[in-house]
Amino acid sequence: MLTLRQSPFHLLRSDLLEADLFKSLERQVESADMQKADRVPAAEVHETDDAYVIALELPGVDKSSIDVKATDRSLVINAERRQESPERPSPVAKQTSLISEFRYGTWNRSFRFPSGINRESLQAHYRDGLLTVTAPKAQNLTTVQVQVAG
């Protein structure tokens, strides 16, 4: 007859190993979330009596790469920060990055408002890395009546 013995310490070790794996996975997910959060531009949204005002930090973004679109109740802002390439690369002096903490790429933010906005009267201004969009509130709300058939 063959008897297998298992040490109680073996179970303890496997639980610890499993806990370490989950902790490691949590750290990786949190790290990925933080990196993604760094890529989202900071925003402030304010409401006045007649408009919504959105301020978005877009440092280093060229004005021509900013796109603002609106629907009846939402606003979508896209922007891209491109990595600068050297004007005239010198064959003698090759540049090597030692530290690169700047964020490059495409950003996208969308905002949904509690009431309708007047898309035709949107105003957007970009200065010193700050995009300010003023979205006037819609003064007339449309109601549609539907005939019930049958």
Side-chain angles (χ1 to χ4, degrees):
M1 177 171 159
L2 180 62
T3 305
L4 294 176
R5 292 191 159 189
Q6 193 170 14
S7 165
F9 295 109
H10 174 71
L11 292 174
L12 182 61
R13 281 189 215 129
S14 70
D15 289 343
L16 288 176
L17 178 62
E18 189 174 309
D20 286 343
L21 286 174
F22 282 118
K23 284 181 184 177
S24 175
L25 182 60
E26 284 178 9
R27 281 193 299 269
Q28 289 175 3
V29 168
E30 288 172 0
S31 174
D33 286 344
M34 289 302 291
Q35 287 176 357
K36 185 178 178 184
D38 288 344
R39 293 184 158 266
V40 177
E44 288 187 2
V45 180
H46 301 280
E47 181 180 11
T48 65
D49 290 339
D50 55 350
Y52 299 103
V53 180
I54 300 94
L56 203 64
E57 287 183 341
L58 297 172
V61 173
D62 188 58
K63 185 171 88 169
S64 64
S65 74
I66 300 172
D67 183 41
V68 179
K69 294 181 182 174
T71 64
D72 291 337
R73 291 181 60 182
S74 65
L75 190 68
V76 178
I77 301 170
N78 297 304
E80 181 180 9
R81 182 175 181 190
R82 296 178 186 97
Q83 190 169 7
E84 293 182 17
S85 58
E87 296 281 328
R88 294 182 215 146
S90 170
V92 177
K94 182 180 175 185
Q95 277 189 340
T96 303
S97 257
L98 298 178
I99 296 175
S100 180
E101 296 178 345
F102 291 164
R103 300 287 185 196
Y104 300 101
T106 304
W107 292 283
N108 178 327
R109 286 294 303 260
S110 60
F111 304 93
R112 185 161 174 84
F113 304 107
S115 63
I117 59 174
N118 186 349
R119 295 177 294 177
E120 289 77 28
S121 299
L122 281 176
Q123 295 180 350
H125 302 282
Y126 182 66
R127 184 173 176 190
D128 297 332
L130 187 67
L131 175 69
T132 305
V133 179
T134 304
K137 294 179 181 178
Q139 296 302 319
N140 53 355
L141 300 175
T142 57
T143 303
V144 177
Q145 185 171 354
V146 178
Q147 292 291 331
V148 179

